[in-house]
Amino acid sequence: IRRENLPLQMAALLQYRFAGRFNARAGLITNNAQPFFGAGWKSKYFRLEIAVSHHPALGSSPGILFIHQQPDDNDNIAE
């Protein structure tokens, strides 16, 4: 949604998946130079993600995500 008299905000993200089960990401939100980082792990039934972002005025904001999911038929991850 575009609001009048506010600069355009964009987010850039780089994500890398390695060893089949792990991922790492880093990015930047442009309008206030807000960086964010995260990492995750996935098994056959569970996914765990942690993240942190840093706002120039508000400081750091950590986050955690835990998901239980049914296995996908195309998922080759061993338990």
Side-chain angles (χ1 to χ4, degrees):
I1 297 175
R2 176 78 171 129
R3 296 182 184 156
E4 291 186 30
N5 300 324
L6 293 177
L8 178 65
Q9 177 177 326
M10 295 175 55
L13 170 72
L14 179 63
Q15 182 167 312
Y16 180 69
R17 190 165 94 190
F18 54 97
R21 294 179 181 231
F22 300 96
N23 67 61
R25 74 188 65 77
L28 181 70
I29 298 174
T30 59
N31 74 337
N32 57 5
Q34 182 177 345
F36 57 91
F37 305 95
W41 170 81
K42 180 180 179 183
S43 73
K44 190 172 183 178
Y45 298 107
F46 298 100
R47 189 170 135 200
L48 179 64
E49 303 273 341
I50 57 170
V52 65
S53 66
H54 182 77
H55 188 277
L58 303 175
S60 296
S61 297
I64 189 165
L65 171 75
F66 182 74
I67 296 177
H68 175 268
Q69 58 190 18
Q70 295 297 322
D72 186 9
D73 292 337
N74 298 325
D75 199 351
N76 296 332
I77 298 174
E79 192 170 334

